[in-house]
Amino acid sequence: MSNSAVSLYLDPQIRDWVLFPITLVMILVGILRHYVVLLLQSPPKKLPREAIREQRAMARAQILRATSANSPIPPVYYQSISRHLSETFEAGTYLKDGPPRDGDAPKMPANPMTDPAAMDGMMSGMKTQMVMMVPQMVIMGWINFFFQGFVLIKLPFPLTLGFKSMLQRGVETQDMDVRWVSSLSWYFLNFFGLNGLYRLILGGDNSADSSRDMTATPFAAAPAGPQDYNKLFKAEKDNLEFSEGLYKWIGEGVEDRVLSRYHKI
Amino acid sequence: MATPAEVAAQQLIYPPNVMFTTQALTTVKFLAACFAGAAAGILGLQNWSGFALFLVSTLFSSLCIHTLNCRGRPAKYIPDGWTGLMNPGQENASTFILVWTLFYGIVHVYD
């Protein structure tokens, strides 16, 4: 078995010219990736006024419902908004194409391949994936080419012999401790360890995070085709009525609560 | 579907404040992992003692937040309560290992 009491002496220039540059390059490339993805994202398409109006009507109903059990709005206002929305949903005045005429065929849900809006979403997802993968491969090639054939650093923790072939790629010795590793393994350590740094500098939603690469796929984010707002409005109307049953103003009985807090009751 | 009591309790929470708290916690955990890694590397800790330092630093920082910031009631300030406070954060173990290796290499391996 290898004698792990013997320590290798490494030239300090390896530290200056390999260790720090690899880390620095990876940090900078990560930041570059983030900004490139940001610049590559096409701005969202502007929707026509009717389409926005129907989405907003939906959003208003949902916001109203979300806090209905502890509502900050007094009963008069809550009920007037709720009834107005219910009536317009029923009559279909907010629909993009106007109130439904009798005998209209129901709209077909669009195929993601043919609908241009969904296609844009998929394309931007795939563009992001490509931008994320290319720098990683380039850096790995760069490291393999320039920084090969020497031992870079000693890991402070032990690993099994199975890792030897991966971590000591350019150094063909058999007895050296697995803890002495080559530059590629320093690349891997950086790859996993810098995500926290990116989260700190670039904010939580950054595109430099390598943990996102493994989980996201370009096809997962395809949005649903143009929804049938008529059906949605009907469902929302039922939800509104249900929430009206649950409604309770948060200021109900507030006079008694204030007085009892000051021990006047 | 959540019970009406849970729904009512959830509606009393103000989302921007929750986001701010979570963000601050993430930052603190990341910095704790970095400094613990630096300490472990400079001290030359190896094998299990390095990981023990990481564990101790996680516990100590969560204890500090618990007593000084949450005033003994983490469930009131942090979404997940005790477990949300105690866990070392997403991927901070790999950050710890990176910084530990870096400082161990700088101080003990290179002359």
Side-chain angles (χ1 to χ4, degrees):
Chain A
M1 268 319 293
S2 62
N3 182 3
S4 50
V6 174
S7 168
L8 289 178
Y9 288 117
L10 295 177
D11 191 350
Q13 294 206 334
I14 300 184
R15 173 196 64 201
D16 295 337
W17 292 100
V18 181
L19 202 67
F20 294 148
I22 291 184
T23 308
L24 198 64
V25 163
M26 287 186 74
I27 293 179
L28 291 176
V29 166
I31 297 181
L32 180 73
R33 255 197 323 181
H34 171 72
Y35 285 115
V36 163
V37 167
L38 222 54
L39 288 173
L40 272 183
Q41 273 170 2
S42 44
K45 270 174 36 161
K46 275 184 69 108
L47 291 171
R49 182 171 165 272
E50 284 81 22
I52 296 188
R53 197 174 61 164
E54 71 183 357
Q55 283 177 3
R56 290 279 178 267
M58 196 60 146
R60 269 192 293 160
Q62 282 169 350
I63 293 174
L64 192 70
R65 279 195 302 123
T67 55
S68 81
N70 269 318
S71 184
I73 318 177
V76 171
Y77 299 115
Y78 182 92
Q79 274 153 17
S80 89
I81 298 178
S82 174
R83 300 236 173 99
H84 169 73
L85 282 173
S86 294
E87 280 164 17
T88 50
F89 286 167
E90 183 66 41
T93 35
Y94 284 142
L95 283 177
K96 192 160 54 176
D97 302 320
R101 294 167 284 267
D102 291 327
D104 252 359
K107 290 172 44 172
M108 295 293 301
N111 192 351
M113 288 300 186
T114 57
D115 183 39
M119 200 61 168
D120 282 343
M122 265 178 15
M123 285 309 294
S124 79
M126 279 171 61
K127 269 192 282 188
T128 319
Q129 289 288 86
M130 287 311 300
V131 169
M132 310 264 257
M133 273 194 313
V134 164
Q136 305 292 29
M137 303 194 328
V138 166
I139 296 186
M140 264 193 9
W142 173 65
I143 291 184
N144 264 331
F145 182 66
F146 283 106
F147 301 124
Q148 203 186 31
F150 57 89
V151 149
L152 180 65
I153 203 171
K154 180 178 179 199
L155 295 177
F157 50 91
L159 286 173
T160 60
L161 280 177
F163 284 96
K164 207 179 185 3
S165 63
M166 183 172 82
L167 300 178
Q168 284 181 357
R169 189 132 288 224
V171 186
E172 312 295 338
T173 63
Q174 281 167 334
D175 289 333
M176 194 162 59
D177 211 345
V178 189
R179 296 166 67 159
W180 296 98
V181 293
S182 69
S183 5
L184 197 62
S185 70
W186 179 239
Y187 166 77
F188 281 122
L189 273 178
N190 272 302
F191 184 74
F192 290 114
L194 285 177
N195 292 332
L197 186 68
Y198 293 144
R199 227 192 335 257
L200 195 67
I201 339 180
L202 299 172
D205 208 13
N206 69 81
S207 319
D209 206 341
S210 62
S211 64
R212 303 274 174 94
D213 289 352
M214 330 276 196
T215 55
T217 72
F219 296 97
Q227 284 133 333
D228 190 1
Y229 268 95
N230 207 7
K231 287 207 196 77
L232 285 176
F233 278 171
K234 300 278 188 292
E236 197 61 30
K237 176 174 171 309
D238 292 332
N239 287 340
L240 273 176
E241 281 170 20
F242 180 65
S243 297
E244 205 167 335
L246 274 181
Y247 166 75
K248 184 177 176 323
W249 185 34
I250 207 172
E252 210 173 280
V254 67
E255 304 97 342
D256 296 328
R257 278 187 269 154
V258 168
L259 289 175
S260 67
R261 184 179 268 235
Y262 288 102
H263 308 293
K264 299 291 187 208
I265 279 194
Chain B
M1 195 56 197
T3 69
E6 282 171 15
V7 169
Q10 169 129 61
Q11 287 172 2
L12 288 175
I13 298 179
Y14 184 52
N17 280 352
V18 172
M19 260 175 43
F20 175 76
T21 320
T22 320
Q23 177 77 0
L25 260 188
T26 318
T27 312
V28 166
K29 285 178 182 168
F30 173 71
L31 291 174
C34 281
F35 284 117
I42 294 176
L43 288 174
L45 298 179
Q46 310 222 16
N47 307 338
W48 63 268
S49 42
F51 292 112
L53 181 72
F54 180 52
L55 215 60
V56 164
S57 86
T58 313
L59 285 173
F60 179 63
S61 57
S62 54
L63 195 69
C64 284
I65 298 181
H66 175 78
T67 43
L68 297 171
N69 294 65
C70 300
R71 277 171 239 152
R73 294 188 46 204
K76 190 174 166 203
Y77 294 95
I78 299 170
D80 292 330
W82 263 107
T83 42
L85 189 58
M86 284 293 189
N87 75 58
Q90 186 187 6
E91 290 189 23
N92 284 342
S94 28
T95 306
F96 169 76
I97 291 180
L98 171 69
V99 182
W100 182 20
T101 308
L102 179 69
F103 278 90
Y104 181 78
I106 293 179
V107 171
H108 291 274
V109 173
Y110 288 98
D111 290 327

